[in-house]
């Protein structure tokens, strides 16, 4: 498929390479990449386009400047106080829909966590499939300190770090470091700032060895089994493997293994 144009955004910068790796940069560095209506809308739009773009194999999410994402923009919060109840719910829900879109992206989403993340920023880390954090970054689910709740992000944060770590972090709003972020499972690994790009490249390279259709189906598989009991899962999973044996990818993968050749999706 042809690659779409990804240069039409004001709050995002999207760099695409020949291998099909799209790096999505939250680009409001002067505001610590905080989430306002424009950024939420543009990121939703970009993720829809990337999901449909067959040329794109892996998506890397990162921030411009010193922070990854400082959560909700306070001017956005303040503007919502003035609105009607229905309008407030709609604005709040826009963040829930964005997180859902990121969470269900049918490609690997690699978090390149270049700096601090608070509130909604922690939510954005939680929907990534693999997260690499720069040592020295600070994190916090700071909402209660402002009289607010980590509401829209909670399904994803709790799924990521569990109920116990959610209580430990959400009820005080206190900041924590990369060591703790890694221990509770928010970060997959922690490297120095200088090693960040090299670590991201290693993880991207690993994901480029996988068949794109199988990756999309596996991401859906994980979501299904996480939310269903064993009886339902056994029916679903038996069907999915039977399906896979019939796909072009499945047939090519088995053939290439038996003939000791590389399948077409492997990127050197």
């Amino acid at each position: 498929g042809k690659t779409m144009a990804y240069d039409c955004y004001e709050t995002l910068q999207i760099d695409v390479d020949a291998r099909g790796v799209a790096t999505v940069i939250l680009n409001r560095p002067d505001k610590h990449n905080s989430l306002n209506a424009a950024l939420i809308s543009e990121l939703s739009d970009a993720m829809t386009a990337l999901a449909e773009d067959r040329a794109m194999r892996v998506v890397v999410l990162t921030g411009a400047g010193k922070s990854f994402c400082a959560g909700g923009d306070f001017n956005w919060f303040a503007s919502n106080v003035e609105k009607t109840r229905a309008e407030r719910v709609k604005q709040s829900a826009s963040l829930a829909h964005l997180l859902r879109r990121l969470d269900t992206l049918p490609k690997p989403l690699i978090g390149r966590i270049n700096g601090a993340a608070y509130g909604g920023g922690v939510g954005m880390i939680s929907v990534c499939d693999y997260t690499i954090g720069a040592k020295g970054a600070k994190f916090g689910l700071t909402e209660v300190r402002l009289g607010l709740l980590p509401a829209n992000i909670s399904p994803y944060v709790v799924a990521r770090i569990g109920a116990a770590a959610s209580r430990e972090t959400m009820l005080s709003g206190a900041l924590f470091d990369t060591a703790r972020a890694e221990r509770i499972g928010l970060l997959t690994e922690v490297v120095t700032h200088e090693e960040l790009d090299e670590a991201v490249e290693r993880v991207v390279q690993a994901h480029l060895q996988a068949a794109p259709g199988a990756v999309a189906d596996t991401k859906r598989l994980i979501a299904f089994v996480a939310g269903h009991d064993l009886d339902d899962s056994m029916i679903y999973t038996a069907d999915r493997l039977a399906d896979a044996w019939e796909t072009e990818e499945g047939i090519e993968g088995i053939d290439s293994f038996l003939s000791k050749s590389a399948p077409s999706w492997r990127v050197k």
Side-chain angles (χ1 to χ4, degrees):
K2 75 174 190 59
T3 300
M4 308 183 188
Y6 293 108
D7 51 7
C8 51
Y9 299 110
E10 284 175 21
T11 63
L12 297 176
Q13 183 192 326
I14 303 184
D15 300 329
V16 169
D17 77 12
R19 302 174 301 172
V21 179
T23 302
V24 177
I25 304 160
L26 308 177
N27 197 20
R28 300 182 73 218
D30 52 323
K31 301 277 189 259
H32 296 281
N33 304 320
S34 58
L35 303 164
N36 63 359
L39 180 52
I40 291 169
S41 161
E42 288 196 336
L43 191 52
S44 279
D45 181 78
M47 285 299 153
T48 302
L50 287 165
E52 290 167 4
D53 187 344
R54 298 194 55 151
M56 293 299 113
R57 300 262 311 260
V58 178
V59 180
V60 176
L61 182 63
T62 193
K66 288 203 167 18
S67 299
F68 173 66
C69 173
D73 182 310
F74 278 83
N75 291 318
W76 180 55
F77 287 160
S79 73
N80 290 326
V81 172
E82 307 299 313
K83 296 190 164 97
T84 64
R85 169 75 190 178
E87 189 55 32
R88 276 201 294 274
V89 171
K90 188 174 166 225
Q91 286 290 316
S92 173
S94 69
L95 179 56
H97 290 301
L98 168 62
L99 290 164
R100 179 77 180 263
R101 199 155 280 181
L102 288 160
D103 190 55
T104 57
L105 182 75
K107 347 220 148 182
L109 183 61
I110 314 299
R112 178 188 180 277
I113 313 306
N114 58 297
Y118 308 125
V122 174
M124 306 256 274
I125 298 174
S126 298
V127 293
C128 292
D129 299 310
Y130 196 109
T131 53
I132 307 167
K135 217 188 198 103
K138 287 273 182 272
F139 304 91
L141 290 143
T142 49
E143 287 86 349
V144 290
R145 299 204 157 190
L146 310 161
L148 301 172
L149 281 69
N152 294 298
I153 65 172
S154 62
Y156 305 102
V157 178
V158 175
R160 180 82 188 209
I161 66 175
S166 294
R167 290 181 180 199
E168 291 161 12
T169 52
M170 287 179 182
L171 299 183
S172 70
L175 301 190
F176 54 95
D177 62 6
T178 45
R180 186 170 180 195
E182 186 177 20
R183 196 163 64 244
I184 64 178
L186 184 64
L187 296 177
T188 314
E189 54 177 290
V190 177
V191 299
T192 65
H193 225 287
E194 296 70 45
E195 299 166 323
L196 197 53
D197 287 333
E198 196 183 324
V200 169
E201 179 51 34
R202 164 172 50 78
V203 173
V204 164
Q205 196 45 260
H207 284 84
L208 287 171
Q209 307 313 304
V215 168
D217 290 344
T218 298
K219 201 155 162 178
R220 274 195 295 274
L221 169 77
I222 295 165
F224 186 95
V225 299
H228 290 80
D229 65 19
L230 196 50
D231 289 333
D232 286 339
S233 290
M234 283 172 72
I235 296 165
Y236 177 87
T237 54
D239 279 345
R240 290 298 73 76
L241 184 57
D243 289 347
W245 285 333
E246 296 170 24
T247 63
E248 283 178 29
E249 283 183 354
I251 292 163
E252 184 187 349
I254 294 165
D255 283 349
S256 63
F257 180 83
L258 294 174
S259 65
K260 297 185 171 48
S261 59
S264 57
W265 56 79
R266 292 269 164 90
V267 175
K268 281 285 167 284

